[in-house]
Amino acid sequence: MPHLGSTVHLRALAVATLRPRQTTPPRPPSAAERIVIVSASVGAGHDGAAAELERRLLAAGLAVDRLDLLDVLPARLGRLVRDGYHRMLVRTPWLYQRIYSSTERAGGGGPVARALLRSAEQRLLRALPADTGAVVSTYPGASRVLGNLRLAGRLTVPVLTYLTDFSVHPLWVADGVDVHLALHAVPAAQATAAGARDVRVCGPVADPRFHPVNAAERTAARTRFGLPASAPLALLVAGSWGVGPVRQVARELRDCGAAVPVVVCGRNEELAEQLRADGIEHVHGWVDDMPGLMHAADVLVQNAGGLTSLEAFAAGLPVASYGCIPGHGLTNASALDQAGVAAWIRDPAQLKHVLAELIDGPRGLLQREAGLALFAGEVPGRGPARAAGNDRGTDTGAHQDTATGADRGPAAETVRVCRAGAGPATPITVRRTRPVRPTALRLATTTALACAVWAGAVGTAVATTDGGPGLIHAIGKSLDFDDPGDGHHELHTAHEAHAKGDRS
């Protein structure tokens, strides 16, 4: 088939492999330098970025500790937060969209979220080793906690936020954080607009196993996974939880005829069984060798725009966003499209045409080059690429890191910030209020959280009652900005029908 041996594909591989190799190693840091990375086990993206940062910092000779913010929350509330977020994405995605949009407009979280994060401050501070030189956050909540500690003068070392996504929700930008590290000029501009003071574009990180391969390695990967030797393959992913309209997208991929779908369901075993029942031949659960699957595929179809997209860029695989989940899935699709590194397919009628262009057309070549350029000079042994494509758009006011080779990238920037030390934290105006006793604060926090959990339970109950489907449809329609229609009328009608059902 032409997609395996075409000039387009060979040219893309040449761009990735025929670059000068980095020969000058960086100056090894002092053994006394210690970096603490704070992430959160919400899905796999935040932890995946933290793990790769840790690997690179360790390879550079630093001492590294990793903490999970959910483990730091009191009364085992972390598990409640993670499970609640998971249930919301699976059962009531419209509710997640509403929360995401409202907090985006408000510029941050509400009082319940602030109270929850405040309850973690002292516990997180105690968990930091005494010789910590800098702290890196890969999760918005952790950035908020660390920023508050910096502003209060309780944390005297620099704090960095590594923005793991291409779109930047205002929750990512926390007062008190010294440096925000962005993947590209597009998220850098969004972070600057949200109020971040020092934003540095230094590219993403990905496991070095994600790299371009030649035709022989591609054939070997297909054989290893039992995949067709010559047919074009579309790798469909939906995160570690397997959320979103995956069944519908898999059927559309199969029926459009552009490529054979290869679906990764993560830990969603129920989804895997449903897909097999639908006649989807190549279905996988949790996959340890994701680099191998990407080496076997011709295009990645994703719905969230997180770490898997970055890994595909590093592997030289073109990416399409389709059937995106609410909230960050939609905003990431828009930002990736704006950056020119992924195609955003909004209309099912475009699916076959766009996939054909990505698999064996000039559009695929351009996106491969743009994706690989994000990693210019970052991965040792891969060699520096040409300019990382950060010249798209207008000047954002962010600091553009123009260094090449081993001096470039989030890990190298973290080392530089650690060595420079922390300056004075940004002063804030403290509103004088009546001091709150610790017991009263804990009681207020617990009460607020209980109310939030109760509200979530009520929302889930409404969604699963007889009148719920109509209500969900109406709310979903009211949130569809591309088709405003008469969604508010439908919402009112569904609500009245649901109320009548209750009275009867």
Side-chain angles (χ1 to χ4, degrees), residues 64-353:
V64 182
D65 294 280
R66 277 179 59 194
L67 301 175
D68 189 328
L69 180 67
L70 301 189
D71 293 337
V72 179
L73 294 176
R76 299 183 179 179
L77 289 173
R79 181 175 180 179
L80 182 64
V81 170
R82 179 175 55 247
D83 292 348
Y85 174 60
H86 184 196
R87 289 174 182 271
M88 187 161 43
L89 281 179
V90 173
R91 299 185 181 181
T92 55
W94 56 270
L95 178 59
Y96 176 61
Q97 176 65 58
R98 172 161 289 187
I99 293 173
Y100 189 94
S101 299
S102 62
T103 54
E104 190 173 38
R105 289 190 298 269
V112 174
R114 290 195 294 269
L116 178 63
L117 295 176
R118 280 197 301 269
S119 70
E121 290 178 7
Q122 183 61 32
R123 295 164 66 94
L124 180 57
L125 191 61
R126 286 199 304 263
L128 298 177
D131 59 344
T132 298
V135 187
V136 183
S137 165
T138 63
Y139 181 67
S143 297
R144 295 267 161 165
V145 174
L146 294 166
N148 288 340
L149 291 172
R150 283 283 287 128
L151 289 172
R154 300 166 68 191
L155 182 60
T156 57
V157 300
V159 172
L160 304 90
T161 290
Y162 174 58
L163 303 168
T164 60
D165 288 358
F166 257 74
S167 67
V168 180
H169 190 282
L171 284 173
W172 270 111
V173 179
D175 290 334
V177 171
D178 298 273
V179 177
H180 289 77
L181 305 178
L183 311 174
H184 186 275
V186 168
Q190 294 182 10
T192 301
R197 294 181 298 111
D198 187 351
V199 185
R200 308 183 186 185
V201 179
C202 49
V205 293
D207 189 312
R209 294 181 300 161
F210 294 94
H211 58 81
V213 296
N214 56 35
E217 293 171 309
R218 181 181 301 271
T219 300
R222 292 189 171 205
T223 301
R224 193 161 62 250
F225 283 96
L227 299 173
S230 59
L233 301 180
L235 180 59
L236 173 59
V237 298
S240 61
W241 288 341
V243 296
V246 184
R247 290 184 69 187
Q248 176 183 343
V249 172
R251 291 194 294 262
E252 290 176 354
L253 284 172
R254 178 193 60 193
D255 296 342
C256 80
V260 175
V262 180
V263 189
V264 177
C265 303
R267 295 186 172 90
N268 193 337
E269 297 179 0
E270 180 181 357
L271 172 62
E273 293 176 359
Q274 292 171 343
L275 288 169
R276 294 186 183 104
D278 291 339
I280 304 298
E281 185 177 356
H282 305 287
V283 178
H284 300 269
W286 181 263
V287 176
D288 292 322
D289 185 18
M290 184 58 76
L293 264 185
M294 287 194 181
H295 294 158
D298 297 284
V299 64
L300 177 80
V301 180
Q302 60 83 34
N303 65 7
L307 180 64
T308 305
S309 298
L310 303 178
E311 293 168 343
F313 299 149
L317 193 64
V319 176
S321 305
Y322 183 62
C324 298
I325 63 175
H328 65 277
L330 294 172
T331 57
N332 276 335
S334 176
L336 289 166
D337 183 62
Q338 181 184 353
V341 293
W344 186 11
I345 305 175
R346 301 170 178 83
D347 185 349
Q350 299 175 332
L351 185 61
K352 181 176 182 178
H353 174 68

Side-chain angles (χ1 to χ4, degrees), residues 355-444:
L355 289 182
E357 286 186 332
L358 293 177
I359 291 172
D360 191 31
R363 186 172 185 176
L365 171 62
L366 292 174
Q367 287 199 4
R368 289 183 183 101
E369 291 181 345
L372 287 166
L374 292 172
F375 298 86
E378 164 62 7
V379 181
R382 189 178 293 166
R386 58 179 185 163
N390 289 337
D391 55 346
R392 289 180 175 269
T394 58
D395 182 18
T396 66
H399 167 67
Q400 296 280 345
D401 186 355
T402 58
T404 58
D407 291 335
R408 186 182 182 277
E413 195 63 45
T414 299
V415 174
R416 277 194 286 271
V417 173
C418 177
R419 288 176 179 155
T426 305
I428 58 173
T429 302
V430 180
R431 185 174 57 185
R432 299 297 178 183
T433 58
R434 189 175 181 179
V436 181
R437 296 181 180 180
T439 302
L441 177 61
R442 288 196 296 270
L443 178 60

